[in-house]
Amino acid sequence: VDRCTLSNYLQIQCKSLQLDLSIDFVKKSLTGSCTWKTETLADDVKEFVLDTAFLEIAKAVDISTGKELQFRFQEKHPFGKALIIGLPEALRAKGSAGTIRVYYHTQKDASAI
């Protein structure tokens, strides 16, 4: 068990991750998207929870349907903030697979760049 994450990795697994980023060294920011291929490991999983820090989320999309997904942040924690993305019905059952893309940019106080 990983005690240093806010994610629900025991309920939904990331099979692969694809990054598409633009770097602006003058503004010290990253802009782009992350695309996760997922597999649901339990029944009735309603959310995909990811660890984040200093990000502004533009949108989350179910790639198979093109529909935007609801999302919210959990309160700040020493590990960062949990990004909680609502899963569509098709991805909630054990064994279901899907692709979710999150569009974002870093905040001014992000330490990554």
Side-chain angles (χ1 to χ4, degrees), residues 44-109:
D44 200 31
V45 177
K46 293 181 173 72
E47 301 169 331
F48 183 34
V49 183
L50 300 166
D51 293 310
T52 72
F54 305 107
L55 296 180
E56 295 290 335
I57 306 301
K59 63 182 175 179
V61 178
D62 175 358
I63 295 301
S64 67
T65 63
K67 292 185 180 178
E68 287 194 32
L69 302 172
Q70 296 292 314
F71 65 88
R72 61 184 168 83
F73 283 104
Q74 196 173 41
E75 287 187 36
K76 193 170 182 176
H77 185 277
F79 300 141
K81 280 186 174 181
L83 172 62
I84 302 167
I85 302 169
L87 289 175
E89 287 291 331
L91 299 182
R92 293 182 180 187
K94 183 176 182 177
S96 59
T99 305
I100 297 171
R101 182 171 295 147
V102 176
Y103 295 87
Y104 69 94
H105 68 272
T106 55
Q107 296 173 340
K108 284 191 275 186
D109 46 357

